[in-house]
Amino acid sequence: MGKRQAVFSGSVFEERIGYARAVVDGDWVHVSGTTGFDYATMTVSDDVVEQAEQCLRNVGAALAGAGCTFADVVRVRYLLPERDDFEPCWPVLRRVFGQVRPAATMMVCGLADARMRIELEVYARRGPVAGVRVEAVADGRMLEQWRHVHNAVVPPAALSLDEARDRGARHRLRNAYVGEALVGCSTVRPAARDGEAVTVIARVLPEWRGRGVGRVLYDDGLAHARALGAGEVGTRVLAADRDGLRFAESHGFAEVDRYVLPEGRGEWVDLRLPVVDS
């Protein structure tokens, strides 16, 4: 049975009424009816098309928080108080769903607030993702994203921005994206001396695991290790990260050492993988 996870948007309605913006149940993602409010300001446009655009931004954020994208949507329901408001929204909706082609239903019904002119409810099913994009950490914004993933995956070894900047000066850092969603990061640490292992570390945000992101990051890092002439490739995993250990072992890595870092920074496992030239 998959783990249940709630995703919140910050809307005051979620707290007042008692619901989540989305619920992840195994591979299924259920997104609550979502309107065109800007949750940061709790304001809403009078224009139905602008409301539809904000609905999609809100739904997209909920899907990203659940580890998926609009490409994973299998059903959408459109709820509108006025039938004639639906057609003006078609170009906006087609821009998002035109390639996805989910099952869809439009219903005319009253909504909770007279200012609301459209509401969307979607169901998505998470599966292997296509189009994972790996990019070099090239500026301060991307370094902060890399640091965010690093600290989310290995909180006992959380890095300050200065520490992350130092890593970037010595190691090869990459971020992984699906569309605009940040999903993971990687580090390739060159061997300190001839004959030592090149270290390749792939990190994937928990909500994006099991969907092929780690494999893309690992293959990218391994290719670079080979370009460096690595005789061996190593990786390092927080012992408490069971997903990370399973991933490493499933890709041929074998444990060679286990140790505890000072200052309470957790127990770590070093693993090695002999590189076979193709």
Side-chain angles (χ1 to χ4, degrees):
M1 178 180 293
K3 183 178 179 182
R4 179 185 170 109
Q5 170 198 350
V7 177
F8 300 96
S9 68
S11 166
V12 298
F13 299 120
E14 294 166 21
E15 179 62 28
R16 290 175 182 174
I17 300 172
Y19 68 97
R21 178 58 45 200
V23 172
V24 181
D25 186 10
D27 290 335
W28 285 99
V29 179
H30 308 265
V31 180
S32 296
T34 300
T35 62
F37 271 84
D38 180 335
Y39 297 137
T41 62
M42 288 310 296
T43 58
V44 63
S45 170
D46 292 331
D47 183 79
V48 67
V49 175
E50 291 179 5
Q51 285 196 26
E53 291 173 337
Q54 185 64 47
C55 281
L56 291 168
R57 285 192 287 270
N58 295 340
V59 169
L63 291 170
C68 57
T69 69
F70 282 110
D72 298 301
V73 172
V74 297
R75 168 167 282 281
V76 57
R77 289 194 178 94
Y78 304 109
L79 312 175
L80 297 94
E82 299 293 335
R83 180 180 292 104
D84 291 343
D85 277 348
F86 189 42
E87 188 169 351
C89 299
W90 288 359
V92 173
L93 303 175
R94 186 172 59 248
R95 187 175 68 236
V96 172
F97 294 118
Q99 296 298 316
V100 181
R101 296 299 179 96
T105 302
M106 181 273 192
M107 300 175 63
V108 176
C109 61
L111 300 180
D113 187 313
R115 293 172 292 175
M116 299 173 179
R117 299 182 63 182
I118 185 170
E119 182 170 327
L120 271 67
E121 176 184 315
V122 308
Y123 300 85
R125 188 172 187 180
R126 303 191 298 185
V129 292
V132 179
R133 189 174 76 258
V134 179
E135 296 186 4
V137 172
D139 55 31
R141 179 187 65 86
M142 294 182 73
L143 182 65
E144 183 56 49
Q145 291 178 325
W146 181 93
R147 187 173 78 101
H148 167 75
V149 177
H150 176 282
N151 292 353
V153 174
V154 287
L159 299 175
S160 69
L161 188 56
D162 284 341
E163 289 172 323
R165 193 175 292 115
D166 178 66
R167 294 282 177 93
R170 296 182 291 114
H171 304 158
R172 176 185 183 266
L173 308 184
R174 295 290 187 269
N175 289 339
Y177 304 89
V178 174
E180 297 304 311
L182 174 70
V183 299
C185 77
S186 67
T187 302
V188 177
R189 184 174 66 203
R193 290 179 290 273
D194 288 344
E196 290 192 353
V198 174
T199 301
V200 176
I201 303 174
R203 308 176 191 88
V204 180
L205 290 171
E207 60 270 25
W208 287 92
R209 292 181 177 180
R211 307 191 64 197
V213 175
R215 180 76 214 190
V216 173
L217 280 167
Y218 167 73
D219 286 346
D220 175 79
L222 182 58
H224 185 66
R226 286 175 171 159
L228 293 175
E232 268 194 324
V233 171
T235 194
R236 183 186 187 199
V237 181
L238 186 66
D241 183 2
R242 301 302 181 189
D243 289 341
L245 284 173
R246 280 193 293 269
F247 177 86
E249 290 167 355
S250 71
H251 287 79
F253 285 88
E255 181 176 337
V256 295
D257 195 14
R258 187 177 289 247
Y259 50 90
V260 177
L261 290 179
E263 302 176 359
R265 302 191 84 174
E267 181 183 18
W268 295 84
V269 181
D270 277 352
L271 304 101
R272 290 288 183 272
L273 172 73
V275 173
V276 178
D277 292 333
S278 56

